[in-house]
Amino acid sequence: MKSYKWKDFFGLIHKAKPNIILFIFSCLISSISAIVATFIPSLLKRFIDSYAANERFDNKLLLSLIAIFILNAIVSVLAGYLLSVVGLKVIANLRKITWSKIVKLPVAYFDKHESGDIASRVVNDTNVLYTLVSNSFSQFINAILTILFCGFWMFYYDWKLSLIVVIALPLFLILFIPLGRKMSKLSKEVQKSTGELNVNAFEMISENKLVKSFTAEGEQISKGVRVIDHLKNIGVQRAKWIATVNPILNLIMMMIIFSIVGFGGVQLANGNLSAGTFMAFLTLIFYIIGPITNFGVFFTQLQQAKGATERISKIHAESEENIHEGNIFDITDKDIEFKDISFSYNTERESSFSLQNINLVIKGGHTYALVGPSGSGKTTLISLLERFYKPTSGSIYIGKENIESYSLNSWRSQIGYVSQEHTLINGTIRENLLFGLEDECPNEEKIIQACQMAYAWEFIEKLPFKLDSHIGERGLELSGGQRQRIAIARMFLKDPKIILLDEATSSLDSQSEEKVKLAMRKISEGRTAISIAHRLSTIVDAENIIFLENGEITGIGKHVELQQTHRLYNQFCEQQLQA
């Protein structure tokens, strides 16, 4: 990806669609509050000079001062609330578009990035913008207006005293330039380390049984502590920079104040300056300290936000799947042809594997079994058909039409896929069964029928809340076989034209497997069914068997034919019988 520039940063904020009118209105209110506050020293001067001249308080001026203080407080509260609303909406919108973007990213992206790190970008990285939008922008505008108005009054009262402040201002800005750059760099490191911590936490929590069974608690604690310590060290570096700059800023401010008190005191003693003017000038100095500091802090936070949001911008720069682009066809009973298909993964961990020159015709309405050693390319072949990946070369056709011409939504909606991982979502059984079927929600009778076909109803009806029973994260409150049967029932409800089974009965006992196989035969009638199989009982039922080795097809035929002509297949069958 190209280097992350300010244009990209502000483009990301623009994508979040901030409420510009509300933001401007909030900044305007906040600015009015800042401007009104600059008149307080003037009223204070008149109040003190009036007392010095008449030796009594001017009640009108006193009431005016109190009224301005109250009005300023009310306006500040309102502006702060409105800016917080703007900031929260920006964060919400940014999270929505980032969430939507992630959902549309291709499978290949998730192969290259850890899920915990992706989640960190949505949750943690977006938070950095909140402070910038809800607080820093308005403070920056207020700082400019306050400095301008206070500067006007200061020069109006005494231009000589004002020159002391003007000379000191560049020193503030010079300090904040290196601080901002360093903070941007450290902010990137913080977000990166936070993502790494999320990855480790996700791994440790989701694989807690693996950790305990291998007594790897010590290793997991060490991994977590290492990342936490790294985050702490980055925080210490940030604190060191801030701790170094703050005393220098305070020193400059003290020098300004001492210079003004010293020079102003001489002026006051000589009668060239009234007590009211001197107090007003000192008040203006204290008014201007905060804005000058905010001026520098704004650029520091801007650099921090830029550094933190770079990871979000990288997600938005990725190419996404357009699921609606393409034609809509009915693929019932049409032949599938793999023509000169080659494919290799682009990830480091799978760079050695590849499919090589696959040529294959799968007749519509027939059942096929993919057989072969682990890592031979069976799941990859199904993934290409599902269009999770694009072939490196070659094309896949259905009914002489390239499957790439179909919209992803149309294509995948006609395919039923049950993986060996029997993936379920956190929720109820009903929510899992109806996953992806919101537009054509089946009635209760069809849901129960699908569960019965998958032999899942026999355990569902025994649960306290039946279909509305919660099954926990990834369905962990159910057994492996129960999770698999719910996944199969979900496919029955989808009623697909092509069925893809990645060892779908792997978690079932022999009795349940036989029941599900009967249901599979029933749903496979008149449909194209492709199954990855390791059990001989599943393979024998297939009308055609495809044997893969090292990413190549080395045999196609029926069970009896391959037993006689394919040495490795015959060995495979013998091992199954011995088992």
Side-chain angles (χ1 to χ4, degrees):
M1 180 184 171
K2 63 179 183 179
S3 60
Y4 189 57
K5 298 179 180 178
W6 285 110
K7 181 182 177 182
D8 303 312
F9 172 70
F10 287 109
L12 190 65
I13 294 179
H14 179 70
K15 277 186 180 179
K17 296 179 180 178
N19 190 326
I20 300 297
I21 295 174
L22 184 60
F23 178 70
I24 292 172
F25 178 67
S26 305
C27 288
L28 187 63
I29 292 175
S30 184
S31 301
I32 290 169
S33 170
I35 293 167
V36 168
T38 61
F39 285 90
I40 292 174
S42 177
L43 288 172
L44 185 63
K45 171 189 176 301
R46 289 169 59 192
F47 182 74
I48 292 171
D49 287 346
S50 173
Y51 181 79
N54 305 317
E55 294 186 352
R56 64 185 180 85
F57 292 115
D58 189 325
N59 291 330
K60 288 184 179 179
L61 285 172
L62 183 61
L63 288 173
S64 298
L65 275 169
I66 294 170
I68 287 177
F69 276 120
I70 294 172
L71 179 64
N72 194 45
I74 293 171
V75 172
S76 296
V77 169
L78 179 62
Y81 168 73
L82 292 176
L83 284 166
S84 293
V85 171
V86 173
L88 289 168
K89 285 184 176 179
V90 167
I91 300 305
N93 288 342
L94 184 58
R95 282 177 174 164
K96 285 175 187 176
I97 61 175
T98 304
W99 186 282
S100 177
K101 180 72 179 185
I102 290 169
V103 170
K104 294 176 183 177
L105 289 174
V107 172
Y109 178 84
F110 299 96
D111 292 341
K112 298 174 185 175
H113 299 83
E114 284 110 339
S115 54
D117 184 56
I118 297 170
S120 178
R121 299 188 195 196
V122 179
V123 179
N124 298 318
D125 293 9
T126 51
N127 267 335
V128 181
L129 278 178
Y130 174 73
T131 304
L132 185 69
V133 175
S134 64
N135 192 22
S136 300
F137 270 125
S138 65
Q139 284 187 350
F140 175 65
I141 295 168
N142 287 357
I144 293 173
L145 291 171
T146 302
I147 289 169
L148 288 174
F149 275 83
C150 284
F152 166 77
W153 286 112
M154 288 165 70
F155 274 95
Y156 177 76
Y157 291 139
D158 194 300
W159 66 270
K160 295 176 183 177
L161 284 174
S162 302
L163 285 177
I164 298 172
V165 180
V166 172
I167 293 167
L169 272 176
L171 295 175
F172 280 93
L173 300 178
I174 289 168
L175 278 172
F176 279 109
I177 290 170
L179 179 65
R181 288 174 181 168
K182 187 65 179 176
M183 286 300 182
S184 176
K185 183 181 177 182
L186 291 174
S187 185
K188 288 181 190 177
E189 290 186 33
V190 166
Q191 301 311 125
K192 184 180 178 182
S193 294
T194 303
E196 189 179 342
L197 183 62
N198 270 358
V199 170
N200 289 340
F202 180 81
E203 179 186 84
M204 180 265 292
I205 294 166
S206 62
E207 301 299 337
N208 64 88
K209 290 179 181 177
L210 177 69
V211 172
K212 294 181 184 301
S213 64
F214 279 83
T215 61
E217 289 90 345
E219 182 186 343
Q220 287 298 312
I221 290 169
S222 297
K223 283 176 71 176
V225 167
R226 188 164 56 250
V227 180
I228 291 166
D229 280 342
H230 184 56
L231 270 170
K232 179 202 71 178
N233 292 336
I234 297 170
V236 169
Q237 286 185 56
R238 291 172 69 176
K240 181 177 70 176
W241 273 83
I242 292 169
T244 304
V245 170
N246 280 340
I248 298 172
L249 290 177
N250 292 334
L251 177 64
I252 294 170
M253 287 309 307
M254 290 303 296
M255 288 172 64
I256 293 172
I257 291 169
F258 279 128
S259 300
I260 289 171
V261 169
F263 184 70
V266 172
Q267 295 279 77
L268 184 64
N270 294 334
N272 297 327
L273 199 68
S274 70
T277 302
F278 185 58
M279 284 301 299
F281 202 93
L282 284 177
T283 306
L284 286 167
I285 288 295
F286 286 108
Y287 264 65
I288 211 170
I289 288 173
I292 290 173
T293 306
N294 288 340
F295 200 69
V297 168
F298 169 75
F299 287 106
T300 303
Q301 289 183 339
L302 195 63
Q303 289 277 4
Q304 282 182 270
K306 178 177 176 283
T309 54
E310 183 174 352
R311 285 156 36 94
I312 303 172
S313 186
K314 285 180 179 178
I315 288 180
H316 287 274
E318 292 285 339
S319 298
E320 63 182 51
E321 291 181 333
N322 188 337
I323 61 172
H324 298 294
E325 184 181 8
N327 301 319
I328 299 174
F329 292 117
D330 186 347
I331 60 176
T332 305
D333 292 338
K334 291 182 178 178
D335 296 349
I336 302 169
E337 182 183 3
F338 291 79
K339 191 171 183 180
D340 300 325
I341 291 292
S342 293
F343 173 79
S344 61
Y345 290 99
N346 291 321
T347 57
E348 289 181 8
R349 61 179 179 271
E350 295 181 284
S351 58
S352 59
F353 173 80
S354 64
L355 288 176
Q356 302 166 34
N357 197 34
I358 298 293
N359 286 283
L360 173 67
V361 176
I362 293 174
K363 295 290 183 182
H366 292 267
T367 59
Y368 288 78
L370 296 177
V371 185
S374 295
S376 59
K378 302 182 295 295
T379 300
T380 301
L381 204 62
I382 279 185
S383 296
L384 289 176
L385 189 58
E386 184 81 67
R387 291 173 67 185
F388 290 154
Y389 306 97
K390 289 186 177 181
T392 308
S393 63
S395 300
I396 303 173
Y397 298 89
I398 183 160
K400 298 184 179 180
E401 287 281 344
N402 192 320
I403 65 171
E404 295 292 331
S405 65
Y406 290 76
S407 73
L408 280 170
N409 190 61
S410 170
W411 177 254
R412 290 173 180 165
S413 67
Q414 300 182 73
I415 294 177
Y417 179 54
V418 179
S419 72
Q420 56 190 341
E421 296 169 353
H422 41 259
T423 307
L424 300 180
I425 60 170
N426 187 9
T428 65
I429 293 175
R430 185 188 303 277
E431 288 169 343
N432 274 277
L433 291 170
L434 300 180
F435 187 77
L437 301 176
E438 288 80 3
D439 295 334
E440 42 190 71
C441 187
N443 57 36
E444 193 83 0
E445 185 182 345
K446 285 186 177 180
I447 295 173
I448 294 173
Q449 185 182 8
C451 293
Q452 289 171 338
M453 289 174 69
Y455 292 90
W457 186 247
E458 59 188 37
F459 73 83
I460 292 173
E461 66 176 343
K462 294 175 184 176
L463 296 173
F465 300 102
K466 295 182 171 58
L467 290 170
D468 296 312
S469 301
H470 280 267
I471 58 175
E473 186 180 5
R474 294 180 293 135
L476 290 178
E477 292 183 18
L478 301 177
S479 69
Q482 288 172 336
R483 293 198 296 270
Q484 191 69 297
R485 279 181 272 178
I486 288 176
I488 294 168
R490 180 167 60 192
M491 185 189 67
F492 289 164
L493 282 172
K494 189 176 183 181
D495 193 24
K497 306 297 191 318
I498 297 174
I499 300 171
L500 304 177
L501 307 169
D502 192 348
E503 196 56 58
T505 58
S506 60
S507 298
L508 306 181
D509 55 57
S510 56
Q511 185 179 2
S512 298
E513 181 190 5
E514 189 59 36
K515 292 177 181 178
V516 172
K517 278 169 64 181
L518 292 171
M520 289 293 183
R521 289 193 194 113
K522 187 174 181 180
I523 198 173
S524 297
E525 290 175 3
R527 307 171 199 258
T528 306
I530 305 170
S531 174
I532 293 176
H534 294 103
R535 294 187 182 183
L536 190 60
S537 56
T538 307
I539 298 167
V540 172
D541 290 336
E543 294 174 280
N544 298 279
I545 298 167
I546 303 162
F547 200 92
L548 286 102
E549 295 177 66
N550 300 319
E552 295 180 334
I553 295 174
T554 59
I556 300 176
K558 297 186 181 298
H559 171 64
V560 176
E561 294 172 358
L562 288 177
Q563 265 192 318
Q564 295 172 353
T565 60
H566 199 287
R567 182 181 57 82
L568 195 58
Y569 179 77
N570 188 44
Q571 289 178 2
F572 174 81
C573 293
E574 287 177 358
Q575 289 170 357
Q576 287 284 308
L577 289 170
Q578 288 172 6

